Amino acid sequence: MKHFLNVKVRTIYFIVLLLVYSGLFEIFNITENIISGLVFLIIFLMYYLFDISNFNSYKVNSKKVILSVIINGLGFIFMLLVNRDKKLIFVFLLYTVIQILSKYLLSFLSRKTSRVLILGYDAPTEKIINILKENKNKYNYIGYIHENIETLDNYLGKVEDIESIVKEKGINEIIFTSRKQVKNYADIVMNLKLKGTKVIDYLSFLEEEEGKVDVDKIDSLWVLMGGGFTSFNDSMQRRIKRAFDIIVSVILLIVSFPFMLITFILVKTDGGPALFKQKRIGMNGHEFEIIKFRSMKVHDPNKFSKYASENDDRITKIGHFIRKTRLDELPQLINVFKGEMSFVGPRPEWNELGHEYEKKIKNYNLRYVVRPGITGWAQTMYFYSSTLEEVKEKLEYDLYYIKHQDIILDIIILFKTVKIVIFGKGR
């Protein structure tokens, strides 16, 4: 999965820079201490927040180079004020040069462009083509093959000719759209896979490339045979996740109390109640009452849309601010402590809307198999949903999370959430 691949490259980047950082302190005979270690961690966190540690492109970006110099400079200026060792200037210069060079070297080494062929002509084919064309730095779409359908551009021939087509066109990845169809040519496709050609089905490709699942294409067999869902059998992971929820919710309730008090007063000055309570659907379909700071004007829900849009005129001025900064979510720490929610999971839906979606969207009730969360994969990958189609797309991200949920993915989501909160993006 590309999201985890990026984590692997970032981990290598972190280790390389840590070794360079420590090595330069050793070479220049500068004593390392807790402050220098914390400064390095803060510098690396800044790389993440400002997309400097993003390895999607190997081309030099002058803005990111300048940002690297500024971030490194501020870190080393702080250490210079504390340490007053002028040799830190040389450490800064050498570290910055190595940091920038290693970033683009790793980007270049991790770059890979696949020449892709699509096997079949089912409903997802055009969708796959669009994804491939949107990611030209990673994929080079060559064409598709099918027994007798030639309606799209780049038709290459029939399935029985696939071996010669793969060799002639230099194909190194095949995406098939129908398990049923590929069964008829399993021996040929298997032979290509054993010779080094990557073979992947449409659902796996969508998970790998976009971090979501096509809800229209899955069934109980997908759950049984599709891999993933390992956290359901891992009691250790479940205990760690629950312990994290309890400990961190208590700490945050104590630390955030002043902010909650200020928010309470600000919302109260708008008139009406400061807290908003609503029935939501939780784990296994059990309903609970969620607690938030009120961000909308007091209104009759039966006279307005059930959906909230980004520019909804029901949202107050203070409401816009607390939504952007996620201050409205702070009272949900109580829900997390009580075990009704987790920090990470699908957002709990209003019971009225949730029961409506269960009837209209296929597999919607699958999102109830885990605890709902304050933040989630769908919230970091997709924002406001004000139509049934958008709710359906959010569900696709939720199902990806449910299938692949583990501690690493939870950490990725928490980091993404921090980034969204700091830059004021998202819901």
Side-chain angles (χ1 to χ4, degrees):
M1 290 163 287
K2 70 172 184 178
H3 309 286
F4 291 97
L5 176 63
N6 215 9
V7 170
K8 289 177 184 176
V9 181
R10 278 180 175 147
T11 303
I12 294 168
Y13 187 50
F14 176 84
I15 293 168
V16 168
L17 293 185
L18 181 60
L19 292 173
V20 169
Y21 186 82
S22 297
L24 289 172
F25 270 73
E26 187 73 30
I27 291 167
F28 285 93
N29 198 26
I30 301 170
T31 305
E32 286 189 82
N33 51 36
I34 293 173
I35 292 174
S36 61
L38 285 173
V39 168
F40 175 78
L41 291 174
I42 291 168
I43 285 173
F44 198 82
L45 179 61
M46 291 300 106
Y47 295 160
Y48 172 76
L49 293 176
F50 289 95
D51 271 341
I52 291 165
S53 59
N54 187 319
F55 293 88
N56 292 336
S57 174
Y58 65 94
K59 294 179 181 178
V60 176
N61 184 317
S62 57
K63 287 182 181 178
K64 289 184 180 179
V65 171
I66 293 167
L67 267 173
S68 294
V69 175
I70 292 170
I71 291 167
N72 296 343
L74 290 172
F76 279 92
I77 286 169
F78 176 78
M79 282 197 292
L80 193 59
L81 291 172
V82 174
N83 199 312
R84 298 189 179 281
D85 190 331
K86 291 182 180 178
K87 288 181 288 185
L88 280 166
I89 297 170
F90 298 104
V91 174
F92 157 70
L93 292 172
L94 286 170
Y95 170 82
T96 301
V97 170
I98 296 169
Q99 176 253 316
I100 293 168
L101 289 175
S102 60
K103 193 270 181 190
Y104 289 104
L105 178 62
L106 280 170
S107 296
F108 180 78
L109 292 174
S110 60
R111 177 179 68 101
K112 183 184 176 183
T113 303
S114 294
R115 292 176 64 81
V116 182
L117 177 149
I118 298 173
L119 171 57
Y121 182 74
D122 283 23
T125 302
E126 290 189 57
K127 189 174 183 178
I128 296 170
I129 292 170
N130 290 333
I131 294 171
L132 296 173
K133 288 181 176 178
E134 286 169 7
N135 293 275
K136 289 183 178 178
N137 61 324
K138 188 176 178 182
Y139 298 109
N140 183 2
Y141 169 60
I142 305 303
Y144 77 99
I145 60 176
H146 194 273
E147 198 58 36
N148 50 23
I149 299 177
E150 305 178 31
T151 55
L152 292 177
D153 293 336
N154 302 98
Y155 174 73
L156 299 176
K158 296 186 177 182
V159 184
E160 49 262 38
D161 301 321
I162 189 170
E163 285 189 281
S164 59
I165 291 169
V166 166
K167 186 176 180 180
E168 180 190 337
K169 300 289 184 181
I171 303 296
N172 47 33
E173 184 167 350
I174 296 170
I175 302 169
F176 61 90
T177 59
S178 169
R179 289 175 184 264
K180 185 179 178 181
Q181 187 186 63
V182 84
K183 253 183 193 178
N184 301 327
Y185 304 96
D187 290 340
I188 300 174
V189 178
M190 182 186 71
N191 190 39
L192 289 168
K193 184 172 183 176
L194 293 175
K195 287 180 179 178
T197 304
K198 180 180 177 181
V199 180
I200 187 171
D201 68 288
Y202 159 65
L203 285 172
S204 300
F205 170 76
L206 192 64
E207 287 182 40
E208 186 177 287
E209 187 54 42
E210 299 211 315
K212 61 182 183 179
V213 172
D214 190 335
V215 294
D216 292 325
K217 298 294 176 184
I218 62 171
D219 52 23
S220 54
L221 191 61
W222 173 79
V223 177
L224 290 171
M225 308 294 289
F229 305 101
T230 53
S231 65
F232 292 92
N233 305 315
D234 193 332
S235 58
M236 177 64 75
Q237 278 212 53
R238 291 201 304 274
R239 285 197 292 268
I240 291 171
K241 186 177 172 77
R242 183 64 192 131
F244 174 85
D245 286 341
I246 293 169
I247 294 166
V248 177
S249 62
V250 170
I251 293 169
L252 288 180
L253 277 167
I254 295 167
V255 172
S256 66
F257 180 75
F259 299 101
M260 291 175 73
L261 184 61
I262 293 167
T263 306
F264 182 91
I265 294 167
L266 287 172
V267 176
K268 196 70 177 171
T269 58
D270 247 358
L275 294 176
F276 170 76
K277 296 180 181 180
Q278 189 181 66
K279 287 284 184 182
R280 298 286 176 102
I281 303 175
M283 190 174 180
N284 298 322
H286 297 308
E287 293 185 4
F288 68 98
E289 196 168 60
I290 199 170
I291 312 167
K292 298 175 71 174
F293 283 119
R294 183 175 56 82
S295 59
M296 284 187 170
K297 299 167 187 173
V298 178
H299 63 278
D300 183 350
N302 296 317
K303 293 182 180 179
F304 290 86
S305 170
K306 291 179 180 179
Y307 299 100
S309 62
E310 191 170 3
N311 299 310
D312 200 309
D313 58 11
R314 290 173 292 173
I315 302 173
T316 63
K317 287 182 180 179
I318 293 167
H320 277 292
F321 173 72
I322 64 174
R323 278 185 170 222
K324 287 289 184 184
T325 55
R326 302 289 176 99
L327 288 169
D328 65 322
E329 312 279 6
L330 286 175
Q332 289 172 64
L333 292 170
I334 298 166
N335 294 116
V336 173
F337 179 75
K338 289 166 68 179
E340 296 164 334
M341 291 177 64
S342 177
F343 275 102
V344 181
R347 283 295 294 160
E349 192 54 77
W350 179 20
N351 60 350
E352 288 191 24
L353 278 175
H355 295 314
E356 188 180 310
Y357 296 152
E358 289 165 27
K359 297 170 187 173
K360 295 180 179 179
I361 301 175
K362 185 183 176 185
N363 297 309
Y364 188 82
N365 59 347
L366 285 177
R367 73 197 305 277
Y368 302 147
V369 298
V370 296
R371 275 193 185 92
I374 291 178
T375 186
W377 185 244
Q379 278 61 48
T380 60
M381 300 297 287
Y382 198 84
F383 302 110
Y384 279 91
S385 53
S386 57
T387 66
L388 198 65
E389 200 57 39
E390 289 170 345
V391 170
K392 182 180 170 182
E393 187 156 2
K394 261 194 169 180
L395 173 63
E396 294 183 334
Y397 288 111
D398 283 331
L399 293 182
Y400 174 90
Y401 170 78
I402 290 165
K403 182 179 179 182
H404 298 286
Q405 190 272 318
D406 61 13
I407 292 167
I408 293 173
L409 183 55
D410 281 1
I411 292 169
I412 291 170
I413 291 167
L414 289 171
F415 270 103
K416 279 178 173 285
T417 303
V418 169
K419 192 174 181 179
I420 289 168
V421 171
I422 288 174
F423 289 100
K425 298 174 183 176
R427 190 170 181 172

